[in-house]
Amino acid sequence: MIELAAPWLLLLLPLPLLIHWLVPAYKRRMAALRLPFFQRYVQAAGLSPAAGAQVTSRSRLMSALSVLCWCLLVVALARPERVGAPIHWQTSARDLILAVDISGSMDEKDFAASDDEMLQRLAGVKQVIADFLDDREGERLALIVFGTQAFVQSPLTTDLDTLQALLARTEVGMAGPHTALGDAIGLAIRQFDASDVSQRLLILLSDGADTGSRMSPINAASIAAERGVQIMTIAIGDPQGSGENRVDIDTLEAIADTTGSSSFLATDEQALSQVYARIDELAPRQIADHSYRERQSLAVWPMGVALVLVLLAWLWRSAALGRGRPS
């Protein structure tokens, strides 16, 4: 299909006619002697006529060529384009960050698998997260791991295979033995600063109380709420535990409440899978539709034809004058 990128420029087509009507050619009356067969007199006398001694008139062919060239130039200005078939695709209008606790307490083997086998907490979480990522096709995700310090394991990306590989290589204690919830939230906020989507979701998984943050988790959650970031918290482990192995459910609930979101408790693989299903219900993925049409400019063709016509008209006029005939 051929379209004009600037069809309003076709309004220039009657411009020469308007100029001819509104601004007529300048004329001046002068005394002159009109001779029939002027060219024969000049040739017989062996003279060359001076400028203005011969008045030429434009032939119908030249007038038609002039009109055609002007029309071609205006069409070229209107930028004709060959438009291809539309290409449609969809992307997610949501960015999601997973913040996973890899402190020393995640080494506890009290996470019940589906076959009742007791797994290391981090191993069980990684297995369920891998299944969760398999259903995230088209979304941008990031992975943050935290212990004593928080680190970006993977920035926001749609390359979920690489993210899966990085998650599989994550081990307990890589970020230190303690738990820095507030720092993990702050790092996630900085990652979201590079995002321009409307829905921003942080899923925070932790099995321990905050023991090493430079910023309190509640203050970090307040900043996240101001920047439109939802934080869903998932408590992993035994809330009746002691020391750093005790899950601080109150803090995790306060973090979620501050951002207007929800908090969950997952003590086994099945419960964690149900939590992820619940997250999809509470914060469904938003889809953005995109379309693209390939456009190929055709303006060079009317311009080229106009140039060829001008050259042919000039050659024909030059030849006609050389033969002593008006063009």
Side-chain angles (χ1 to χ4, degrees), residues 8 10 21 23 51-52 58 88 108 111 135 137 149 156 186 202 206-207 243 248 253 258 287 299 327:
W8 56 271
L10 294 179
W21 285 343
V23 188
R58 182 176 298 172
H88 296 281
E108 292 288 328
F111 193 84
D135 297 329
E137 188 67 31
Q149 293 182 325
L156 286 166
L202 169 63
S206 177
D207 73 335
D248 189 354
E253 288 180 348
T258 301
I287 299 298
S327 58

Side-chain angles (χ1 to χ4, degrees), residues 65 83 94 99 139 141 179 188 199 204-205 238 281 289 308:
L65 285 177
V83 182
R94 175 176 74 183
E139 282 195 82
L141 284 92
T179 305
Q199 190 179 24
L204 180 67
L205 299 98
D238 184 6
E281 294 176 6
D289 291 314
V308 170

Side-chain angles (χ1 to χ4, degrees), residues 181 206-210 218 233-241 246-257 263-267:
L181 286 176
S206 177
D207 73 335
D210 183 82
I218 305 303
T233 59
I234 302 176
I236 307 294
D238 184 6
Q240 305 301 324
R246 181 182 64 84
V247 179
D248 189 354
I249 294 181
D250 293 338
T251 298
L252 293 176
E253 288 180 348
I255 291 172
D257 290 341
S263 180
F264 305 92
L265 174 63
T267 57

Side-chain angles (χ1 to χ4, degrees), residues 143-165:
L143 176 64
I144 290 176
V145 295
F146 64 95
T148 304
Q149 293 182 325
F151 299 95
V152 177
Q153 191 79 333
S154 170
L156 286 166
T157 179
T158 56
D159 185 1
L160 301 186
D161 291 336
T162 299
L163 195 147
Q164 291 265 32

Side-chain angles (χ1 to χ4, degrees), residues 23-41:
V23 188
Y26 174 73
K27 296 181 180 180
R28 184 176 62 176
R29 291 185 174 276
M30 296 180 62
L33 180 62
R34 183 179 181 90
L35 296 176
F37 311 109
F38 177 75
Q39 287 295 334
R40 294 183 181 180
Y41 289 121

Side-chain angles (χ1 to χ4, degrees), residues 201-236:
L201 178 62
L202 169 63
I203 300 178
L204 180 67
L205 299 98
S206 177
D207 73 335
D210 183 82
T211 56
S213 290
R214 289 170 291 182
M215 175 186 294
S216 77
I218 305 303
N219 288 341
S222 299
I223 296 174
E226 293 174 358
R227 301 192 181 184
V229 177
Q230 279 188 297
I231 303 177
M232 289 188 173
T233 59
I234 302 176
I236 307 294

Side-chain angles (χ1 to χ4, degrees), residues 21-299:
W21 285 343
L22 301 177
V23 188
Y26 174 73
K27 296 181 180 180
R28 184 176 62 176
R29 291 185 174 276
M30 296 180 62
L33 180 62
R34 183 179 181 90
L35 296 176
F37 311 109
F38 177 75
Q39 287 295 334
R40 294 183 181 180
Y41 289 121
V42 170
Q43 292 175 0
L47 300 175
S48 297
Q54 182 179 4
V55 179
T56 60
S57 61
R58 182 176 298 172
S59 66
R60 292 183 178 178
L61 178 60
M62 291 296 293
S63 298
L65 285 177
S66 299
V67 172
L68 180 57
C69 288
W70 173 251
C71 292
L72 290 171
L73 291 176
V74 171
V75 170
L77 287 174
R79 305 205 323 260
E81 297 174 334
R82 179 182 288 114
V83 182
I87 301 172
H88 296 281
W89 74 96
Q90 293 181 330
T91 60
S92 175
R94 175 176 74 183
D95 281 343
L96 190 152
I97 295 180
L98 290 171
V100 181
D101 187 349
I102 59 170
S103 60
S105 57
M106 290 292 285
D107 198 33
E108 292 288 328
K109 294 186 177 181
D110 60 355
F111 193 84
S114 57
D115 56 0
D116 295 331
E117 179 185 358
M118 302 307 291
L119 300 175
Q120 179 200 53
R121 289 177 180 176
L122 181 59
V125 168
K126 286 163 60 174
Q127 183 173 325
V128 179
I129 290 178
D131 294 336
F132 174 75
L133 293 178
D134 287 338
D135 297 329
R136 302 296 103 190
E137 188 67 31
E139 282 195 82
R140 286 207 315 169
L141 284 92
L143 176 64
I144 290 176
V145 295
F146 64 95
T148 304
Q149 293 182 325
F151 299 95
V152 177
Q153 191 79 333
S154 170
L156 286 166
T157 179
T158 56
D159 185 1
L160 301 186
D161 291 336
T162 299
L163 195 147
Q164 291 265 32
L166 292 171
L167 175 65
R169 296 178 183 177
T170 302
E171 300 294 340
V172 171
M174 290 176 61
H178 303 297
T179 305
L181 286 176
D183 293 350
I185 295 173
L187 184 57
I189 292 172
R190 288 196 293 272
Q191 292 299 301
F192 279 127
D193 286 341
S195 172
D196 56 359
V197 300
S198 57
Q199 190 179 24
R200 305 173 181 184
L201 178 62
L202 169 63
I203 300 178
L204 180 67
L205 299 98
S206 177
D207 73 335
D210 183 82
T211 56
S213 290
R214 289 170 291 182
M215 175 186 294
S216 77
I218 305 303
N219 288 341
S222 299
I223 296 174
E226 293 174 358
R227 301 192 181 184
V229 177
Q230 279 188 297
I231 303 177
M232 289 188 173
T233 59
I234 302 176
I236 307 294
D238 184 6
Q240 305 301 324
S242 60
E244 291 190 5
N245 291 335
R246 181 182 64 84
V247 179
D248 189 354
I249 294 181
D250 293 338
T251 298
L252 293 176
E253 288 180 348
I255 291 172
D257 290 341
T258 301
T259 63
S261 192
S262 303
S263 180
F264 305 92
L265 174 63
T267 57
D268 55 44
E269 183 178 313
Q270 182 178 1
L272 186 54
S273 298
Q274 292 174 352
V275 166
Y276 283 131
R278 179 63 176 154
I279 286 174
D280 280 336
E281 294 176 6
L282 295 175
R285 183 171 61 175
Q286 297 179 0
I287 299 298
D289 291 314
H290 305 274
S291 64
Y292 170 76
R293 286 178 178 265
E294 183 181 4
R295 296 178 178 271
Q296 180 183 4
S297 177
L298 302 177

